[in-house]
Amino acid sequence: MELSAKKVVVLDYGFGNVRSAERALARVGADVEITRDFDRAMNADGLLVPGVGAFAACMEGLRAARGDWIVDRRLSGGRPVLGICVGMQILFARGIENGVRAEGLDEWPGTVEPLQADVVPHMGWNTVDAPAGSELFAGLDAGARFYFVHSYAVHEWTLESHNPVIEAPRVTWSTHGKPFVAAVENGALRATQFHPEKSGDAGAQLLTNWIGTL
């Protein structure tokens, strides 16, 4: 018997290219809906949180759509969430952009700060260094390239698991000037700094891998 497609909601809170995300997810077989409806977002198999623009503005829009509560409630119940680009950045404790400090969702400790590189923004294709056992990057070789467009990132990862029963987060790195966090896999919460929906076949494989975990 053929299994039904996984239901994925792309959270429409005004900050993100939701149509590109919708097309990419549909391409890999998901049943996709773009909405800010609370119940639909809560009940989907997976929730994708996009994000473009300034950290503080994204947080303001997310709160206005009750997206902060949706993310928190889903994760409290072990329900999968995937953040992309600024949708990843707002999962950290805070962001500092143009001297403005804004509080994030604080799912992970850390500060989103300006990239430390000669050329900013970081725009274009780059490789990543994924850890052993990664589910998001399964089936992708070390030379796989992903599409980045950002001027800010997290340069330090401080969250570790000291409980042998709880698996430590898997952190993927990339480098533009200085190494920065390119992706995180932490139980039901996953995120990428790059745009898988703009990353061709490699991005499609990553989204397929994520859907396979739902």
Side-chain angles (χ1 to χ4, degrees):
M1 184 177 70
E2 183 177 350
L3 297 176
S4 59
K6 294 294 184 179
K7 181 70 176 183
V8 177
V9 158
V10 178
L11 188 62
D12 185 10
Y13 66 102
F15 292 86
N17 192 340
V18 294
R19 295 298 175 189
S20 290
E22 177 190 38
R23 288 192 295 269
L25 288 164
R27 173 189 172 189
V28 298
D31 176 11
V32 193
E33 180 180 12
I34 299 172
T35 184
R36 63 190 295 163
D37 181 84
F38 184 87
D39 290 333
R40 291 182 179 275
M42 283 297 300
N43 293 325
D45 296 310
L47 178 73
L48 188 146
V49 181
V52 296
F55 186 104
C58 282
M59 279 302 304
E60 184 177 348
L62 190 72
R63 291 191 178 105
R66 293 202 295 168
D68 54 341
W69 196 28
I70 292 170
V71 170
D72 181 69
R73 291 292 298 273
R74 282 189 63 92
L75 294 176
S76 294
R79 309 213 68 189
V81 174
L82 175 66
I84 289 177
C85 197
V86 184
M88 166 178 163
Q89 294 178 2
I90 59 178
L91 296 168
F92 286 89
R94 67 197 67 83
I96 300 175
E97 196 162 329
N98 297 321
V100 176
R101 176 187 172 109
E103 299 305 309
L105 295 178
D106 202 18
E107 295 294 339
W108 299 314
T111 300
V112 179
E113 57 187 357
L115 285 169
Q116 299 176 26
D118 292 334
V119 177
V120 176
H122 175 207
M123 182 181 298
W125 299 84
N126 205 347
T127 57
V128 301
D129 182 14
S134 168
E135 292 182 323
L136 284 182
F137 295 92
L140 290 162
D141 62 41
R145 299 170 71 84
F146 299 88
Y147 191 76
F148 291 83
V149 182
H150 64 122
S151 299
Y152 300 84
V154 172
H155 294 99
E156 296 183 9
W157 178 266
T158 59
L159 178 63
E160 302 294 340
S161 174
H162 300 290
N163 186 335
V165 178
I166 301 176
E167 186 176 45
R170 293 189 176 102
V171 182
T172 293
W173 295 85
S174 189
T175 299
H176 182 70
K178 181 179 177 180
F180 64 88
V181 176
V184 181
E185 300 168 64
N186 183 200
L189 183 57
R190 314 290 174 95
T192 68
Q193 177 61 69
F194 55 83
H195 289 269
E197 78 281 11
K198 297 180 180 180
S199 296
D201 290 342
Q205 181 64 55
L206 184 142
L207 291 174
T208 297
N209 291 342
W210 179 62
I211 291 169
T213 68
L214 303 182

